[in-house]
Amino acid sequence: MDVHLLVYDLSGGLARQMSAQLLGFQLEAIYHTSIKLNSLEYVYDGAVVSIIPGSSHLGRPLEEIHLGRTELPMDVIEEFLDSLREIYTVEAYDLWKHNCNNFSNDLATFLLGRGIPDHIVNMPQAVLDSPMGRMLLPALNQQINAKKRGGGILGIQESSAGSSSKPTAEFHHHQAVVRNIADNGALESHLLTAKNSCAVIFFTSATCAPCRTLYPVYDELAAEVGNKGVLIKVDISQAYDVGSKYSVSATPTFITFLRGQQENRWTGADPSALRGNVQLLVQMAWPPHPHQSLNLPTLSNPNAKPVIFTKIPPLPKLLAKMGSAAEDPSVQGIKKFIELRSSEGPAEASLPDMGGFTAFVRDSIQRLPTELMFTVIDLLRCGLVDPRFSGYMAEEKGHQTVLSVLEYVNGLGECPYALRLVALQMTCNLFTSPLYPDQILGYDKLRTAITMLISTSFLDDNHSSVRVAAASLLFDVSLYNSLKRRDGPGDVLAEGDQIELAASTLEAISQEESSSEALEGMLRALGYLVYRLPLDGELSDLLRTMDAEDTVLSKRKHFPNMALVSEIGLELLGKGLKRT
């Protein structure tokens, strides 16, 4: 998809005429920008909204700059936009430091690996550096604060009938939408994705008034069903071949599919029947798991979140240990980014030179002594706390930077304690972006490297903090896989990896006698790895063969007051692994 930067002049030409005499330098425009992508214009106006290009009261843009092409699919882009919505809020808007141009820059950096022209991003600071700009600062801020109370800044949301502002997505869950299909090929493709779950086809037509009354209900059902099924809409007045194939002569007509086979068919505009039939279909495709009847308060917690290591060390001391390498401009850039984000919040911190810093990290592996590499990886860890930063890293080609770090650490015969610890914490922080978990579990090289890092770190008998961090990383991986089991489409972590991780975790549990924090982390991680698993699968057989229940319950001797031992041992591994 082509990515364009739409550039507007909020001054209507006055900046070019009067800036030299007022500010002491020539200013071509008071820039307002947005990103045009996939026939929509994405803009920050107190919230991240999408509008029909050029439909706001700002009219046509002054300039449309082609920034490049992105190969990222729209669902991935929407996930990233969801993460930006947490940062680009009406409260966070700042005319000088956190505005529409910063949003455009962040989105362009994610899509293309480079931002928008510097003269646009730097314009507010140039104005502030002038005597007139400093004099006008209080009055302008007062005007902006007054507009914030109305929920917007430029009034774009109100002026554009086609605007849309999605709510922030929950962690790792992208809201499903109705798929509008126009031909048999596209329909079969979507039905294929639901071959292990369920699908609904809603046949409608342009002249069907009763159909339109069901559209809101159908949209709501799509959101409720989420990844557990696919809801499709077909307009037979346009998709004649689809209507003919399924012998549809009246609308609305509904056809449901269960695990690839047609399950039901009915006609009529009854919203209750539609809702009831779809809900029944989902229940048939996703019957309750036996684990749901067990007493597992920890694992059934719907608000469980990944472990993220957010603590920022004293950066001057960290960079001092790095030596002359700290003078690299990309290092200074990320230092400024981390400090601003930590002291003033994400809204005040624009992304640094990501390409320069990732290149620096990879080069450091070759140049820096092993005992100093922890400083570079810790800096990377701090950057990954921000979802914009981790979102960029998630789409790096071949994950070359993160993979280089993991393979370097895994390849060391004797890995220094500090290096292994920050490598584990850095990998946990990949989960700040909703984009990374699928990459971790779906990209073989990355998943293999992370699995190896966890397994070998459990063997560190001398440092409980390493075992705690390894358990935290396994928890993040297991939690995400468990959510996919719950919400669909099912396991995304390969069963072979699940078996390897479960075996190494059980071994680590059997050896843990000193750290309650490490044991609790291991039990939580193992719990989510096992929760809702297929009871007739290889992992279940392994756990029974290894006598996982007794291994966990044996920890009562050293940790008699840890309730999680009984929850995981007696309930999950005892009752939960019994064949029905």
Side-chain angles (χ1 to χ4, degrees), residues 494-515:
E495 189 169 41
D497 291 306
Q498 293 184 47
I499 289 172
E500 180 179 345
L501 288 168
S504 62
T505 307
L506 279 173
E507 177 63 24
I509 288 172
S510 71
Q511 299 296 320
E512 188 59 62
E513 297 180 354
S514 59
S515 172

Side-chain angles (χ1 to χ4, degrees), residues 536-550:
D536 57 352
E538 292 184 25
L539 179 55
S540 296
D541 291 340
L542 171 78
L543 294 168
R544 297 184 188 104
T545 301
M546 293 185 68
D547 206 0
E549 177 185 2
D550 285 349

Side-chain angles (χ1 to χ4, degrees), residues 179-191 200-204 232-251 253-255 257 262 265:
R179 277 79 161 178
N180 291 289
I181 300 303
D183 59 71
N184 274 317
L187 177 61
E188 293 306 315
S189 176
H190 282 288
L191 289 177
V200 184
I201 308 177
F202 177 0
F203 291 96
T204 181
I232 300 166
K233 188 189 295 179
V234 178
D235 185 343
I236 62 171
S237 60
Q238 297 180 2
Y240 306 107
D241 57 336
V242 180
S244 175
K245 178 178 179 178
Y246 288 91
S247 303
V248 176
S249 57
T251 56
T253 291
F254 297 89
I255 300 178
F257 293 80
Q262 184 171 324
R265 179 177 181 135

Side-chain angles (χ1 to χ4, degrees), residues 276-564:
N277 286 338
V278 171
Q279 290 174 343
L280 177 61
L281 178 72
V282 173
Q283 289 176 10
M284 293 167 65
W286 298 87
H289 193 284
H291 287 175
Q292 291 176 254
S293 64
L294 300 177
N295 182 23
L296 299 169
T298 301
L299 303 180
S300 58
N301 175 15
N303 300 315
K305 296 180 179 180
V307 177
I308 306 298
F309 291 88
T310 59
K311 185 177 180 180
I312 306 299
L315 293 182
K317 291 184 178 179
L318 185 70
L319 267 60
K321 294 176 182 177
M322 197 181 294
S324 60
E327 299 172 6
D328 189 287
S330 67
V331 173
Q332 293 300 316
I334 192 171
K335 174 179 178 288
K336 180 181 178 182
F337 169 75
I338 294 168
E339 288 177 334
L340 273 175
R341 191 185 190 282
S342 179
S343 62
E344 301 184 33
E348 303 299 325
S350 298
L351 280 177
D353 176 8
M354 296 296 296
F357 181 67
T358 52
F360 170 81
V361 173
R362 296 192 300 273
D363 290 344
S364 297
I365 293 174
Q366 307 298 325
R367 295 188 294 107
L368 284 184
T370 300
E371 61 270 18
L372 295 183
M373 266 306 296
F374 82 92
T375 60
V376 176
I377 298 176
D378 205 26
L379 205 59
L380 176 58
R381 173 192 67 81
C382 294
L384 286 167
V385 170
D386 191 292
R388 295 169 295 175
F389 193 106
S390 54
Y392 174 91
M393 298 294 293
E395 296 306 320
E396 185 184 36
K397 186 176 181 180
H399 305 286
Q400 53 182 333
T401 301
V402 171
L403 258 180
S404 296
V405 170
L406 295 177
E407 289 173 350
Y408 172 72
V409 172
N410 286 335
L412 293 173
E414 292 291 334
C415 182
Y417 158 70
L419 178 57
R420 180 175 290 276
L421 180 63
V422 296
L424 288 162
Q425 294 175 343
M426 175 215 74
T427 312
C428 285
N429 286 5
L430 299 178
F431 285 82
T432 58
S433 169
L435 303 174
Y436 235 126
D438 278 326
Q439 300 288 341
I440 290 171
L441 274 64
Y443 191 73
D444 288 345
K445 288 185 177 180
L446 192 58
R447 187 179 68 248
T448 299
I450 290 174
T451 300
M452 182 176 179
L453 180 65
I454 293 171
S455 299
T456 54
S457 297
F458 276 148
L459 301 176
D460 189 335
D461 296 329
N462 298 320
H463 303 101
S464 62
S465 55
V466 168
R467 302 195 298 277
V468 169
S472 298
L473 178 53
L474 178 56
F475 173 85
D476 290 353
V477 171
S478 301
L479 174 62
Y480 183 73
N481 190 63
S482 180
L483 292 176
K484 289 297 184 180
R485 282 178 183 159
R486 184 192 71 188
D487 300 330
D491 281 304
V492 287
L493 181 61
E495 189 169 41
D497 291 306
Q498 293 184 47
I499 289 172
E500 180 179 345
L501 288 168
S504 62
T505 307
L506 279 173
E507 177 63 24
I509 288 172
S510 71
Q511 299 296 320
E512 188 59 62
E513 297 180 354
S514 59
S515 172
S516 60
E517 186 180 5
L519 178 63
E520 186 167 336
M522 293 171 189
L523 290 173
R524 288 179 184 273
L526 179 64
Y528 277 108
L529 199 61
V530 175
Y531 189 48
R532 296 174 183 254
L533 89 173
L535 295 179
D536 57 352
E538 292 184 25
L539 179 55
S540 296
D541 291 340
L542 171 78
L543 294 168
R544 297 184 188 104
T545 301
M546 293 185 68
D547 206 0
E549 177 185 2
D550 285 349
T551 298
V552 171
L553 292 179
S554 69
K555 296 293 101 180
R556 287 171 166 174
K557 177 181 178 181
H558 297 283
F559 304 92
N561 298 319
M562 187 178 291
L564 196 59

Side-chain angles (χ1 to χ4, degrees), residues 172-174 176 179 197 222 225-230 286 484 487-489:
H172 292 157
H173 182 72
H174 186 64
R179 277 79 161 178
S197 55
V225 171
N227 293 325
K228 292 183 177 180
V230 177
W286 298 87
K484 289 297 184 180
D487 300 330

